[in-house]
Amino acid sequence: MQDLELGIPTQQTELDLPQSDDVKINDMGPVMRATGNLIELVQMNFSFPPSSKGGPIFNFRSDGRSFANSNRCLIPASAFFEFTGKKYPKAKHRFTLKSAPFMAIAGLWREGQGNHPPAFTMLTTEPGPDVAPIHDRQIVVLQPPDWGAWIYLTKPEAELLRALPKGSLDVETVRAGSD
């Protein structure tokens, strides 16, 4: 982040990132968001509270939407997972960004309401060539040069909220499915 000239508070370092194999829905997870001209690392609940129509919102479709008036954030992660199969346990596939120790996922965040803490959700898009063989949607993984562009929306959303080119992600099956 320093190399990208994204202002980070001097009291925060990579040691503030939690160590976890998985962050599941309703777990607390790390989010990088703008506060003035700095980017701060904060913990938030992973998923917006349920709407009247269903469960918690952890993935949010970005296709054709504008987020200019939204609270945008980056979700740091070493990997993301997709699952295949019909029977439990499903096969689990781990995606990592090639040649990078971690990635940032485009997200949105909301202030806490009532007894709910501040929360975040991940943006999704059509799958790119690395994900399409496994899943029909994918989260939006941003390349490091686009991190500030997403936070401050200095590039058109259509350039940012899309799948990465073929060969950008490594995939590994970390658990075989039962079917």
Side-chain angles (χ1 to χ4, degrees):
M1 293 187 65
Q2 289 168 339
D3 290 347
L4 297 171
E5 297 181 5
L6 294 174
I8 55 173
T10 56
Q11 73 274 16
Q12 290 187 313
T13 70
E14 64 274 3
L15 299 176
D16 292 308
L17 288 169
Q19 299 298 310
S20 176
D21 290 335
D22 289 317
V23 175
K24 297 175 178 69
I25 297 166
N26 287 321
D27 283 352
M28 295 300 281
V31 170
M32 295 181 286
R33 68 177 179 184
T35 177
N37 60 355
L38 295 177
I39 303 292
E40 68 176 347
L41 180 65
V42 295
Q43 293 287 320
M44 292 187 183
N45 187 74
F46 174 36
S47 72
F48 291 163
S51 67
S52 59
K53 297 179 184 178
I57 301 165
F58 56 94
N59 285 342
F60 194 90
R61 284 182 180 255
S62 67
D63 314 59
R65 292 187 166 144
S66 173
F67 299 101
N69 296 319
S70 300
N71 293 321
R72 294 171 304 281
C73 64
L74 300 169
I75 305 156
S78 56
F80 69 90
F81 298 94
E82 293 295 352
F83 300 85
T84 57
K86 294 182 178 21
K87 297 179 185 176
Y88 184 83
K90 294 182 177 185
K92 185 175 182 179
H93 310 279
R94 182 176 193 261
F95 290 86
T96 55
L97 188 58
K98 277 192 181 192
S99 305
F102 73 98
M103 63 181 73
I105 300 162
L108 303 174
W109 68 274
R110 291 183 183 164
E111 292 290 352
Q113 299 172 358
N115 63 349
H116 297 285
F120 70 94
T121 187
M122 300 184 296
L123 294 181
T124 67
T125 190
E126 294 293 321
D130 296 334
V131 176
I134 292 174
H135 205 273
D136 63 347
R137 299 284 303 161
Q138 80 165 72
I139 58 169
V140 177
V141 176
L142 297 169
Q143 295 282 17
D146 289 330
W147 294 359
W150 171 243
I151 289 286
Y152 299 112
L153 209 52
T154 57
K155 286 185 179 179
E157 291 162 294
E159 286 182 31
L160 299 169
L161 303 177
R162 59 184 178 170
L164 296 175
K166 182 178 178 76
S168 298
L169 299 169
D170 284 323
V171 62
E172 169 190 15
T173 300
V174 294
R175 182 181 67 213
S178 60
D179 58 335

